[in-house]
Amino acid sequence: QIPKDPTQRWLRELAALSQQLQQVHPNVLAKILKERTVYQNEEIVVIDKPYGLPVHGGPGIKNCISDVLPILAKMLENMKADPLHLCHRLDKETTGVMVLARSKEAAEKIRLLFKTRQVEKVYWAIVLGDPDPVEGVVEIPIVEKEVQSHQSHYKMTLAPNYRLCPEDGKVVKVRRNRNAEGAVTRYRRLAAASACSLLELQPITGVKHQIRVHLAYGLGCPILGDHKYSHWSKLAPQKLPELTLKRLKLEQSKARHLPLHLHAHRLCLPLGQPLDFVCKPPLFFQKTLRKLELDIPKD
């Protein structure tokens, strides 16, 4: 039953994105990843991670990248190949450049490069609203907290070191939250239209959900399709501006089907000589850009 209406069809495709990858045989998943290999040498394999595929297993997850690394290694080399190793992680909903290592030693070397902030990472995100100022740095620590609501759940949130004094509006230093991790994200706006913006982001640190939290709570510009970080106290679909809904030809009630529009666009790895990898945004991301009339910058 294929819907005739292109928007309905688009929504159906989006809703199916994650489910399909959870239902395929691990060998089929490894083959999909093999077809998405963008670079390989004797030390590393770089893939373009698809949407909705978790890196690690967990409750209710049938398929994940880490489980198929032995199969993928054999498909890329031969039956005697050692399993590939994870070097870093991307959220389940994030697409784009992901580096795998062919050996334990290579993996440790690359993990250290990530840890010591020698890897340059550039993400693209479509966000609601317009950041003010249009480029800058968000430097606010992040901590995990339990949200007390009718459905209790955990979220990452900001733990600022400063607050405004209500009496005189002066900035006052507050005591540091013991569990908070320092987090720094550079951002700049590449395009704006339809009550949305396309941002280029450089996370300097690598805290869980950092980009999503800094954009939603630091800049007040949640990522399109980020239903988790668009509200604090509830788990509910993101509320979209009228103009955005109109351009996407969507009703608010269908907004829950929108996927997270966050893409790991570029990664520069200093292994001997610097290796530079770029992955184009996935088709759904490109379609959204077109519908919202956000012009992709020509690199």
Side-chain angles (χ1 to χ4, degrees), residues 106-215:
E108 275 162 18
K109 190 159 80 177
I110 292 163
R111 281 184 206 130
L112 188 64
L113 291 174
F114 273 97
K115 204 174 164 184
T116 52
R117 303 183 191 171
Q118 294 181 64
V119 180
E120 193 187 330
K121 298 169 286 186
V122 176
Y123 287 75
W124 279 4
I126 299 175
V127 302
L128 301 184
D130 207 5
D132 179 20
V134 293
E135 69 176 274
V137 177
V138 182
E139 188 172 348
I140 309 173
I142 288 175
V143 71
E144 189 159 29
K145 277 195 178 161
E146 186 174 5
V147 180
Q148 303 290 348
S149 69
H150 66 289
Q151 279 173 292
S152 278
H153 58 287
Y154 283 88
K155 268 183 190 162
M156 306 305 282
T157 189
L158 303 176
N161 292 334
Y162 300 91
R163 65 178 178 83
L164 289 178
C165 183
E167 289 80 52
D168 54 11
K170 283 205 174 109
V171 175
V172 194
K173 201 161 171 41
V174 286
R175 217 175 88 216
R176 210 180 142 262
N177 183 317
R178 252 200 347 266
N179 304 319
E181 290 183 77
V184 184
T185 309
R186 264 198 205 114
Y187 72 92
R188 73 185 177 105
R189 189 184 72 186
L190 300 176
S194 318
C196 291
S197 308
L198 172 65
L199 303 187
E200 178 185 83
L201 303 143
Q202 258 186 300
I204 310 299
T205 50
V207 180
K208 179 183 171 186
H209 295 173
Q210 172 181 322
I211 291 177
R212 296 165 65 178
V213 172
H214 271 174
L215 291 181

Side-chain angles (χ1 to χ4, degrees), residues 4-154:
K4 286 196 171 61
D5 172 31
T7 301
Q8 290 299 328
R9 205 163 53 231
W10 186 58
L11 282 176
R12 179 75 65 86
E13 283 165 21
L14 296 180
L17 276 174
S18 306
Q19 289 155 0
Q20 283 164 343
L21 290 171
Q22 282 305 305
Q23 284 155 2
V24 298
H25 189 278
N27 289 357
V28 176
L29 183 58
K31 195 161 180 265
I32 291 169
L33 295 181
K34 182 190 173 193
E35 283 160 9
R36 298 177 74 99
T37 299
V38 290
Y39 176 85
Q40 50 180 320
N41 65 15
E42 58 290 337
E43 279 195 301
I44 59 170
V45 172
V46 179
I47 59 168
D48 178 1
K49 180 190 165 299
Y51 179 84
L53 180 63
V55 173
H56 297 283
I61 291 171
K62 187 169 159 277
N63 276 334
C64 65
I65 291 178
S66 61
D67 285 355
V68 298
L69 292 180
I71 312 170
L72 178 59
K74 287 174 179 169
M75 283 183 178
L76 289 170
E77 287 193 81
N78 57 37
M79 292 318 285
K80 291 190 189 67
D82 291 331
L84 292 160
H85 300 262
L86 294 168
C87 303
H88 62 122
R89 49 172 303 162
L90 290 177
D91 287 351
K92 175 185 164 186
E93 293 91 357
T94 307
T95 54
V97 187
M98 188 166 177
V99 182
L100 306 166
R102 288 200 193 268
S103 68
K104 232 187 181 117
E105 299 73 50
E108 275 162 18
K109 190 159 80 177
I110 292 163
R111 281 184 206 130
L112 188 64
L113 291 174
F114 273 97
K115 204 174 164 184
T116 52
R117 303 183 191 171
Q118 294 181 64
V119 180
E120 193 187 330
K121 298 169 286 186
V122 176
Y123 287 75
W124 279 4
I126 299 175
V127 302
L128 301 184
D130 207 5
D132 179 20
V134 293
E135 69 176 274
V137 177
V138 182
E139 188 172 348
I140 309 173
I142 288 175
V143 71
E144 189 159 29
K145 277 195 178 161
E146 186 174 5
V147 180
Q148 303 290 348
S149 69
H150 66 289
Q151 279 173 292
S152 278
H153 58 287
Y154 283 88

